[in-house]
Amino acid sequence: MRDAVTTLIKNYDVAGRYFDRNALDSLKSYFESGTARVQAAAAINSNAAALVKRAGAKLFEELPELIRPGGNAYTTRRFAACLRDMDYYLRYATYALVAGNTNVLDERVLQGLRETYNSLSVPIGPTVRGVQILKDLVKEQVAGAGIANIAFVDEPFDHITRELSERDI
Ligand SMILES: CCC1=C(C)/C(=C/C2=NC(=C\c3[nH]c(/C=C4\NC(=O)[C@H](C)[C@H]4CC)c(C)c3CCC(=O)O)/C(CCC(=O)O)=C2C)NC1=O
């Protein structure tokens, strides 16, 4: 598992180089956004359950066929599994936000996920939509907490949707 700093060190160490201007700029920007990242994590943590619940409600309102007979989130067990997956996405996205790096998502969440989803007929498109709804709600929450520059909030959620959407080669 890597963060913004260890990733940079790894890359420069492989090349046997001291940090150059690019590296220093990227370190500077990571540390400058550090407090905001921690504040964003705090705003998410204290509202995580509500964020997941609201995102689920919005998803099922948009795509009601998911929870009708024949839908993948139909039955209490699968409905709960779907919300639990959303909760995983939120929690790991929060880790990635603080790390300033999406490696934790690759290692702990995304590896093998598409195969699992395909084998259980969990539909990818609606899952991607669920993650985007979650992202929008998180951004509202974080902005509402008075955190100024929240551009970094998009990254982990967009990474999840990008990786999930990726076609097999
Ligand atoms: C921490 C990393 C991690 C992830 C990400 C994870 C996902 C994950 N989601 C699963 C199932 C599932 N995932 C969903 C999700 C959905 N169905 C829908 O229609 C919606 C679009 C969507 C919710 C947004 C459902 C319904 C199941 C149960 C499918 C089944 O058993 O038939 C399963 C199969 C095993 C199980 O049911 O627990 C895994 C492994 N597990 C992990 O350990």
Side-chain angles (χ1 to χ4, degrees), residues 66 72-73 77-78 81-82 84-85 88 108 117 120 122 127:
L66 292 173
N72 186 261
R77 183 187 66 80
R78 289 202 298 260
C82 179
R84 179 214 54 196
D85 284 10
Y88 284 150
R108 304 289 164 89
Y117 273 6
L120 293 168
V122 176
T127 302

Side-chain angles (χ1 to χ4, degrees), residues 1-2 19 47 56 68 75 83 111 131 151 167:
M1 207 194 322
R2 296 198 304 267
F19 288 143
N47 295 284
R68 287 189 190 131
T75 75
L83 290 187
Q111 214 171 58
V131 173
R167 302 276 115 233

Side-chain angles (χ1 to χ4, degrees), residues 59 82 85-86 88-90 102 105-106 108-119 121-134 155-169:
L59 177 67
C82 179
D85 284 10
M86 299 266 270
Y88 284 150
Y89 296 135
L90 182 59
T102 52
L105 293 169
D106 295 334
R108 304 289 164 89
V109 179
L110 296 165
Q111 214 171 58
L113 184 62
R114 270 168 49 82
E115 291 71 17
T116 303
Y117 273 6
N118 287 337
S119 73
S121 305
V122 176
I124 303 281
T127 302
V128 163
R129 180 66 195 130
V131 173
Q132 288 299 313
I133 291 172
L134 201 48
E155 197 190 2
F157 296 97
D158 290 345
H159 184 76
I160 295 171
T161 60
R162 215 168 27 242
E163 293 296 310
L164 264 181
S165 309
E166 207 143 81
R167 302 276 115 233
D168 284 330
I169 9 169

